[in-house]
PDB file of all heavy atoms in Angstrom:
ATOM      1  N   CYS A 661       9.933  -5.761  -4.522  1.00 96.00           N
ATOM      2  CA  CYS A 661       8.501  -5.459  -4.560  1.00 96.00           C
ATOM      3  C   CYS A 661       8.258  -4.026  -4.088  1.00 96.00           C
ATOM      4  O   CYS A 661       7.561  -3.259  -4.746  1.00 96.00           O
ATOM      5  CB  CYS A 661       7.731  -6.455  -3.701  1.00 96.00           C
ATOM      6  SG  CYS A 661       8.314  -6.576  -1.994  1.00 96.00           S
ATOM      7  N   ALA A 662       8.864  -3.657  -2.948  1.00 95.00           N
ATOM      8  CA  ALA A 662       8.650  -2.313  -2.410  1.00 95.00           C
ATOM      9  C   ALA A 662       9.296  -1.255  -3.298  1.00 95.00           C
ATOM     10  O   ALA A 662       8.763  -0.162  -3.475  1.00 95.00           O
ATOM     11  CB  ALA A 662       9.210  -2.219  -0.995  1.00 95.00           C
ATOM     12  N   SER A 664       9.495  -1.268  -6.453  1.00 95.00           N
ATOM     13  CA  SER A 664       8.778  -1.055  -7.703  1.00 95.00           C
ATOM     14  C   SER A 664       7.381  -0.492  -7.474  1.00 95.00           C
ATOM     15  O   SER A 664       6.675  -0.188  -8.422  1.00 95.00           O
ATOM     16  CB  SER A 664       8.647  -2.382  -8.449  1.00 95.00           C
ATOM     17  OG  SER A 664       7.738  -3.202  -7.761  1.00 95.00           O
ATOM     18  N   CYS A 665       6.976  -0.348  -6.213  1.00 95.00           N
ATOM     19  CA  CYS A 665       5.595   0.072  -5.940  1.00 95.00           C
ATOM     20  C   CYS A 665       5.457   1.585  -6.063  1.00 95.00           C
ATOM     21  O   CYS A 665       6.092   2.323  -5.336  1.00 95.00           O
ATOM     22  CB  CYS A 665       5.181  -0.365  -4.544  1.00 95.00           C
ATOM     23  SG  CYS A 665       3.569   0.282  -4.069  1.00 95.00           S
ATOM     24  N   PRO A 666       4.616   2.061  -6.990  1.00 95.00           N
ATOM     25  CA  PRO A 666       4.474   3.505  -7.163  1.00 95.00           C
ATOM     26  C   PRO A 666       3.751   4.169  -6.007  1.00 95.00           C
ATOM     27  O   PRO A 666       3.851   5.376  -5.834  1.00 95.00           O
ATOM     28  CB  PRO A 666       3.667   3.634  -8.451  1.00 95.00           C
ATOM     29  CG  PRO A 666       2.980   2.346  -8.617  1.00 95.00           C
ATOM     30  CD  PRO A 666       3.811   1.308  -7.941  1.00 95.00           C
ATOM     31  N   ALA A 667       3.007   3.405  -5.219  1.00 93.00           N
ATOM     32  CA  ALA A 667       2.174   4.018  -4.180  1.00 93.00           C
ATOM     33  C   ALA A 667       2.813   3.937  -2.799  1.00 93.00           C
ATOM     34  O   ALA A 667       2.211   4.362  -1.829  1.00 93.00           O
ATOM     35  CB  ALA A 667       0.809   3.349  -4.156  1.00 93.00           C
ATOM     36  N   GLN A 668       4.003   3.405  -2.708  1.00 92.00           N
ATOM     37  CA  GLN A 668       4.644   3.164  -1.415  1.00 92.00           C
ATOM     38  C   GLN A 668       3.703   2.393  -0.486  1.00 92.00           C
ATOM     39  O   GLN A 668       3.606   2.706   0.703  1.00 92.00           O
ATOM     40  CB  GLN A 668       5.052   4.481  -0.752  1.00 92.00           C
ATOM     41  CG  GLN A 668       6.317   5.046  -1.351  1.00 92.00           C
ATOM     42  CD  GLN A 668       6.754   6.351  -0.694  1.00 92.00           C
ATOM     43  OE1 GLN A 668       5.936   7.219  -0.437  1.00 92.00           O
ATOM     44  NE2 GLN A 668       8.036   6.493  -0.460  1.00 92.00           N
ATOM     45  N   ALA A 669       3.030   1.414  -1.044  1.00 94.00           N
ATOM     46  CA  ALA A 669       2.057   0.664  -0.253  1.00 94.00           C
ATOM     47  C   ALA A 669       2.720  -0.456   0.532  1.00 94.00           C
ATOM     48  O   ALA A 669       2.136  -0.981   1.470  1.00 94.00           O
ATOM     49  CB  ALA A 669       0.978   0.088  -1.162  1.00 94.00           C
ATOM     50  N   ILE A 670       3.939  -0.838   0.157  1.00 95.00           N
ATOM     51  CA  ILE A 670       4.616  -1.952   0.820  1.00 95.00           C
ATOM     52  C   ILE A 670       5.623  -1.378   1.806  1.00 95.00           C
ATOM     53  O   ILE A 670       6.610  -0.778   1.413  1.00 95.00           O
ATOM     54  CB  ILE A 670       5.319  -2.853  -0.212  1.00 95.00           C
ATOM     55  CG1 ILE A 670       4.297  -3.341  -1.241  1.00 95.00           C
ATOM     56  CG2 ILE A 670       6.013  -4.009   0.476  1.00 95.00           C
ATOM     57  CD1 ILE A 670       4.926  -4.032  -2.429  1.00 95.00           C
ATOM     58  N   SER A 680       2.600  -6.687   3.846  1.00 94.00           N
ATOM     59  CA  SER A 680       1.631  -6.747   2.754  1.00 94.00           C
ATOM     60  C   SER A 680       1.187  -5.319   2.427  1.00 94.00           C
ATOM     61  O   SER A 680       1.399  -4.398   3.214  1.00 94.00           O
ATOM     62  CB  SER A 680       0.452  -7.585   3.226  1.00 94.00           C
ATOM     63  OG  SER A 680      -0.430  -7.823   2.160  1.00 94.00           O
ATOM     64  N   ALA A 681       0.552  -5.141   1.254  1.00 94.00           N
ATOM     65  CA  ALA A 681       0.176  -3.787   0.842  1.00 94.00           C
ATOM     66  C   ALA A 681      -0.815  -3.165   1.823  1.00 94.00           C
ATOM     67  O   ALA A 681      -1.728  -3.817   2.295  1.00 94.00           O
ATOM     68  CB  ALA A 681      -0.453  -3.825  -0.542  1.00 94.00           C
ATOM     69  N   LEU A 682      -0.605  -1.894   2.119  1.00 92.00           N
ATOM     70  CA  LEU A 682      -1.591  -1.164   2.907  1.00 92.00           C
ATOM     71  C   LEU A 682      -2.836  -1.000   2.045  1.00 92.00           C
ATOM     72  O   LEU A 682      -2.750  -0.505   0.923  1.00 92.00           O
ATOM     73  CB  LEU A 682      -1.047   0.214   3.286  1.00 92.00           C
ATOM     74  CG  LEU A 682       0.059   0.221   4.335  1.00 92.00           C
ATOM     75  CD1 LEU A 682       0.682   1.599   4.445  1.00 92.00           C
ATOM     76  CD2 LEU A 682      -0.479  -0.220   5.677  1.00 92.00           C
ATOM     77  N   LYS A 685      -3.572   2.301   0.354  1.00 93.00           N
ATOM     78  CA  LYS A 685      -2.577   2.883  -0.532  1.00 93.00           C
ATOM     79  C   LYS A 685      -2.440   2.137  -1.852  1.00 93.00           C
ATOM     80  O   LYS A 685      -2.134   2.734  -2.872  1.00 93.00           O
ATOM     81  CB  LYS A 685      -1.214   2.921   0.161  1.00 93.00           C
ATOM     82  CG  LYS A 685      -1.077   4.063   1.150  1.00 93.00           C
ATOM     83  CD  LYS A 685       0.379   4.275   1.477  1.00 93.00           C
ATOM     84  CE  LYS A 685       0.559   5.394   2.477  1.00 93.00           C
ATOM     85  NZ  LYS A 685       1.951   5.453   2.940  1.00 93.00           N
ATOM     86  N   CYS A 686      -2.601   0.814  -1.837  1.00 95.00           N
ATOM     87  CA  CYS A 686      -2.367   0.010  -3.038  1.00 95.00           C
ATOM     88  C   CYS A 686      -3.304   0.459  -4.154  1.00 95.00           C
ATOM     89  O   CYS A 686      -4.514   0.512  -3.987  1.00 95.00           O
ATOM     90  CB  CYS A 686      -2.594  -1.459  -2.723  1.00 95.00           C
ATOM     91  SG  CYS A 686      -2.517  -2.503  -4.181  1.00 95.00           S
ATOM     92  N   ILE A 687      -2.720   0.810  -5.305  1.00 95.00           N
ATOM     93  CA  ILE A 687      -3.549   1.277  -6.413  1.00 95.00           C
ATOM     94  C   ILE A 687      -3.763   0.173  -7.447  1.00 95.00           C
ATOM     95  O   ILE A 687      -4.315   0.417  -8.507  1.00 95.00           O
ATOM     96  CB  ILE A 687      -2.926   2.506  -7.097  1.00 95.00           C
ATOM     97  CG1 ILE A 687      -1.511   2.203  -7.553  1.00 95.00           C
ATOM     98  CG2 ILE A 687      -2.951   3.705  -6.157  1.00 95.00           C
ATOM     99  CD1 ILE A 687      -0.929   3.277  -8.445  1.00 95.00           C
ATOM    100  N   GLY A 688      -3.302  -1.021  -7.149  1.00 95.00           N
ATOM    101  CA  GLY A 688      -3.620  -2.159  -8.000  1.00 95.00           C
ATOM    102  C   GLY A 688      -2.866  -2.235  -9.313  1.00 95.00           C
ATOM    103  O   GLY A 688      -3.386  -2.769 -10.282  1.00 95.00           O
ATOM    104  N   CYS A 689      -1.633  -1.748  -9.358  1.00 95.00           N
ATOM    105  CA  CYS A 689      -0.909  -1.751 -10.632  1.00 95.00           C
ATOM    106  C   CYS A 689      -0.211  -3.084 -10.884  1.00 95.00           C
ATOM    107  O   CYS A 689       0.162  -3.397 -11.994  1.00 95.00           O
ATOM    108  CB  CYS A 689       0.116  -0.636 -10.642  1.00 95.00           C
ATOM    109  SG  CYS A 689       1.439  -0.918  -9.473  1.00 95.00           S
ATOM    110  N   GLN A 690       0.029  -3.869  -9.846  1.00 96.00           N
ATOM    111  CA  GLN A 690       0.677  -5.177  -9.923  1.00 96.00           C
ATOM    112  C   GLN A 690       2.147  -5.134 -10.287  1.00 96.00           C
ATOM    113  O   GLN A 690       2.734  -6.155 -10.654  1.00 96.00           O
ATOM    114  CB  GLN A 690      -0.089  -6.109 -10.875  1.00 96.00           C
ATOM    115  CG  GLN A 690      -1.521  -6.290 -10.429  1.00 96.00           C
ATOM    116  CD  GLN A 690      -2.337  -7.116 -11.383  1.00 96.00           C
ATOM    117  OE1 GLN A 690      -1.878  -8.130 -11.886  1.00 96.00           O
ATOM    118  NE2 GLN A 690      -3.560  -6.694 -11.644  1.00 96.00           N
ATOM    119  N   ASN A 691       2.782  -3.978 -10.182  1.00 96.00           N
ATOM    120  CA  ASN A 691       4.225  -3.920 -10.386  1.00 96.00           C
ATOM    121  C   ASN A 691       4.959  -4.895  -9.463  1.00 96.00           C
ATOM    122  O   ASN A 691       5.922  -5.536  -9.871  1.00 96.00           O
ATOM    123  CB  ASN A 691       4.744  -2.509 -10.063  1.00 96.00           C
ATOM    124  CG  ASN A 691       4.769  -1.612 -11.279  1.00 96.00           C
ATOM    125  OD1 ASN A 691       4.359  -2.025 -12.350  1.00 96.00           O
ATOM    126  ND2 ASN A 691       5.252  -0.401 -11.117  1.00 96.00           N
ATOM    127  N   CYS A 692       4.503  -4.975  -8.225  1.00 96.00           N
ATOM    128  CA  CYS A 692       5.207  -5.791  -7.234  1.00 96.00           C
ATOM    129  C   CYS A 692       5.249  -7.249  -7.652  1.00 96.00           C
ATOM    130  O   CYS A 692       6.243  -7.930  -7.445  1.00 96.00           O
ATOM    131  CB  CYS A 692       4.562  -5.632  -5.870  1.00 96.00           C
ATOM    132  SG  CYS A 692       2.773  -5.856  -5.896  1.00 96.00           S
ATOM    133  N   THR A 693       4.141  -7.741  -8.241  1.00 96.00           N
ATOM    134  CA  THR A 693       4.120  -9.149  -8.628  1.00 96.00           C
ATOM    135  C   THR A 693       5.132  -9.411  -9.747  1.00 96.00           C
ATOM    136  O   THR A 693       5.701 -10.494  -9.831  1.00 96.00           O
ATOM    137  CB  THR A 693       2.724  -9.580  -9.126  1.00 96.00           C
ATOM    138  OG1 THR A 693       2.410  -8.832 -10.295  1.00 96.00           O
ATOM    139  CG2 THR A 693       1.659  -9.323  -8.091  1.00 96.00           C
ATOM    140  N   PRO A 701       4.141 -12.122  -4.339  1.00 96.00           N
ATOM    141  CA  PRO A 701       2.895 -11.386  -4.069  1.00 96.00           C
ATOM    142  C   PRO A 701       1.725 -11.912  -4.896  1.00 96.00           C
ATOM    143  O   PRO A 701       1.886 -12.253  -6.066  1.00 96.00           O
ATOM    144  CB  PRO A 701       3.248  -9.944  -4.486  1.00 96.00           C
ATOM    145  CG  PRO A 701       4.724  -9.868  -4.412  1.00 96.00           C
ATOM    146  CD  PRO A 701       5.213 -11.227  -4.816  1.00 96.00           C
ATOM    147  N   LYS A 702       0.564 -11.992  -4.246  1.00 95.00           N
ATOM    148  CA  LYS A 702      -0.650 -12.424  -4.946  1.00 95.00           C
ATOM    149  C   LYS A 702      -1.512 -11.201  -5.179  1.00 95.00           C
ATOM    150  O   LYS A 702      -1.423 -10.224  -4.449  1.00 95.00           O
ATOM    151  CB  LYS A 702      -1.426 -13.421  -4.085  1.00 95.00           C
ATOM    152  CG  LYS A 702      -0.691 -14.721  -3.828  1.00 95.00           C
ATOM    153  CD  LYS A 702      -1.578 -15.664  -3.035  1.00 95.00           C
ATOM    154  CE  LYS A 702      -0.977 -17.065  -3.013  1.00 95.00           C
ATOM    155  NZ  LYS A 702      -1.922 -18.057  -2.488  1.00 95.00           N
ATOM    156  N   PHE A 703      -2.392 -11.292  -6.175  1.00 96.00           N
ATOM    157  CA  PHE A 703      -3.228 -10.135  -6.478  1.00 96.00           C
ATOM    158  C   PHE A 703      -4.680 -10.536  -6.581  1.00 96.00           C
ATOM    159  O   PHE A 703      -5.008 -11.530  -7.226  1.00 96.00           O
ATOM    160  CB  PHE A 703      -2.769  -9.485  -7.786  1.00 96.00           C
ATOM    161  CG  PHE A 703      -3.421  -8.155  -8.006  1.00 96.00           C
ATOM    162  CD1 PHE A 703      -2.961  -7.029  -7.339  1.00 96.00           C
ATOM    163  CD2 PHE A 703      -4.508  -8.026  -8.851  1.00 96.00           C
ATOM    164  CE1 PHE A 703      -3.576  -5.800  -7.512  1.00 96.00           C
ATOM    165  CE2 PHE A 703      -5.130  -6.802  -9.030  1.00 96.00           C
ATOM    166  CZ  PHE A 703      -4.662  -5.677  -8.366  1.00 96.00           C
ATOM    167  N   ASN A 708      -9.025  -5.393  -6.159  1.00 95.00           N
ATOM    168  CA  ASN A 708      -7.996  -4.500  -6.688  1.00 95.00           C
ATOM    169  C   ASN A 708      -6.898  -4.287  -5.653  1.00 95.00           C
ATOM    170  O   ASN A 708      -6.514  -3.153  -5.346  1.00 95.00           O
ATOM    171  CB  ASN A 708      -8.637  -3.153  -7.056  1.00 95.00           C
ATOM    172  CG  ASN A 708      -7.778  -2.386  -8.033  1.00 95.00           C
ATOM    173  OD1 ASN A 708      -7.070  -2.979  -8.856  1.00 95.00           O
ATOM    174  ND2 ASN A 708      -7.800  -1.070  -7.948  1.00 95.00           N
ATOM    175  N   LEU A 709      -6.398  -5.393  -5.115  1.00 95.00           N
ATOM    176  CA  LEU A 709      -5.500  -5.290  -3.968  1.00 95.00           C
ATOM    177  C   LEU A 709      -4.460  -6.405  -3.981  1.00 95.00           C
ATOM    178  O   LEU A 709      -4.784  -7.559  -4.206  1.00 95.00           O
ATOM    179  CB  LEU A 709      -6.340  -5.383  -2.687  1.00 95.00           C
ATOM    180  CG  LEU A 709      -5.604  -5.373  -1.359  1.00 95.00           C
ATOM    181  CD1 LEU A 709      -4.942  -4.023  -1.149  1.00 95.00           C
ATOM    182  CD2 LEU A 709      -6.576  -5.663  -0.230  1.00 95.00           C
ATOM    183  N   MET A 710      -3.218  -6.033  -3.701  1.00 96.00           N
ATOM    184  CA  MET A 710      -2.161  -7.031  -3.581  1.00 96.00           C
ATOM    185  C   MET A 710      -2.110  -7.535  -2.138  1.00 96.00           C
ATOM    186  O   MET A 710      -2.340  -6.777  -1.203  1.00 96.00           O
ATOM    187  CB  MET A 710      -0.828  -6.386  -3.955  1.00 96.00           C
ATOM    188  CG  MET A 710       0.380  -7.272  -3.774  1.00 96.00           C
ATOM    189  SD  MET A 710       0.947  -7.455  -2.083  1.00 96.00           S
ATOM    190  CE  MET A 710       2.348  -6.391  -2.058  1.00 96.00           C
ATOM    191  N   TYR A 711      -1.817  -8.819  -1.952  1.00 95.00           N
ATOM    192  CA  TYR A 711      -1.557  -9.314  -0.608  1.00 95.00           C
ATOM    193  C   TYR A 711      -0.404 -10.290  -0.640  1.00 95.00           C
ATOM    194  O   TYR A 711      -0.225 -11.027  -1.596  1.00 95.00           O
ATOM    195  CB  TYR A 711      -2.812  -9.921   0.027  1.00 95.00           C
ATOM    196  CG  TYR A 711      -3.435 -11.083  -0.728  1.00 95.00           C
ATOM    197  CD1 TYR A 711      -3.285 -12.389  -0.271  1.00 95.00           C
ATOM    198  CD2 TYR A 711      -4.169 -10.873  -1.882  1.00 95.00           C
ATOM    199  CE1 TYR A 711      -3.856 -13.459  -0.940  1.00 95.00           C
ATOM    200  CE2 TYR A 711      -4.743 -11.933  -2.571  1.00 95.00           C
ATOM    201  CZ  TYR A 711      -4.581 -13.224  -2.095  1.00 95.00           C
ATOM    202  OH  TYR A 711      -5.150 -14.269  -2.768  1.00 95.00           O
TER     203      TYR A 711
ATOM    204  N   MET B  90       4.335   5.956 -13.598  1.00 94.00           N
ATOM    205  CA  MET B  90       2.886   5.780 -13.530  1.00 94.00           C
ATOM    206  C   MET B  90       2.176   7.114 -13.772  1.00 94.00           C
ATOM    207  O   MET B  90       1.167   7.163 -14.478  1.00 94.00           O
ATOM    208  CB  MET B  90       2.529   5.208 -12.155  1.00 94.00           C
ATOM    209  CG  MET B  90       1.187   4.553 -12.059  1.00 94.00           C
ATOM    210  SD  MET B  90       0.903   3.243 -13.262  1.00 94.00           S
ATOM    211  CE  MET B  90       1.818   1.874 -12.621  1.00 94.00           C
ATOM    212  N   ALA B 283      -3.420   3.692 -12.955  1.00 95.00           N
ATOM    213  CA  ALA B 283      -2.879   2.332 -12.970  1.00 95.00           C
ATOM    214  C   ALA B 283      -3.762   1.417 -13.812  1.00 95.00           C
ATOM    215  O   ALA B 283      -3.266   0.606 -14.586  1.00 95.00           O
ATOM    216  CB  ALA B 283      -2.749   1.797 -11.547  1.00 95.00           C
ATOM    217  N   GLN B 310       4.785  -3.055 -19.260  1.00 95.00           N
ATOM    218  CA  GLN B 310       4.952  -3.081 -17.807  1.00 95.00           C
ATOM    219  C   GLN B 310       6.160  -3.912 -17.407  1.00 95.00           C
ATOM    220  O   GLN B 310       6.916  -3.537 -16.518  1.00 95.00           O
ATOM    221  CB  GLN B 310       3.686  -3.629 -17.130  1.00 95.00           C
ATOM    222  CG  GLN B 310       3.745  -3.504 -15.614  1.00 95.00           C
ATOM    223  CD  GLN B 310       2.438  -3.830 -14.927  1.00 95.00           C
ATOM    224  OE1 GLN B 310       1.488  -4.288 -15.553  1.00 95.00           O
ATOM    225  NE2 GLN B 310       2.373  -3.588 -13.630  1.00 95.00           N
TER     226      GLN B 310
HETATM  227  S1  SF4 C2066      -0.187  -3.657  -6.807  1.00 95.62           S
HETATM  228 FE1  SF4 C2066      -0.348  -2.324  -5.010  1.00 95.62          FE
HETATM  229  S2  SF4 C2066       1.330  -2.983  -3.676  1.00 95.62           S
HETATM  230 FE2  SF4 C2066       1.757  -3.812  -5.715  1.00 95.62          FE
HETATM  231  S3  SF4 C2066       3.081  -2.322  -6.690  1.00 95.62           S
HETATM  232 FE3  SF4 C2066       0.990  -1.804  -7.300  1.00 95.62          FE
HETATM  233  S4  SF4 C2066       0.307  -0.315  -5.769  1.00 95.62           S
HETATM  234 FE4  SF4 C2066       2.119  -1.309  -4.929  1.00 95.62          FE
END
Side-chain angles (χ1 to χ4, degrees):
Chain A
C661 54
S664 71
C665 173
Q668 282 181 317
I670 304 170
S680 188
L682 288 170
K685 281 196 181 171
C686 173
I687 56 170
C689 68
Q690 302 176 43
N691 269 3
C692 50
T693 63
K702 296 183 168 191
F703 191 79
N708 200 31
L709 177 66
M710 175 282 257
Y711 59 105
Chain B
M90 199 55 77
Q310 187 171 7

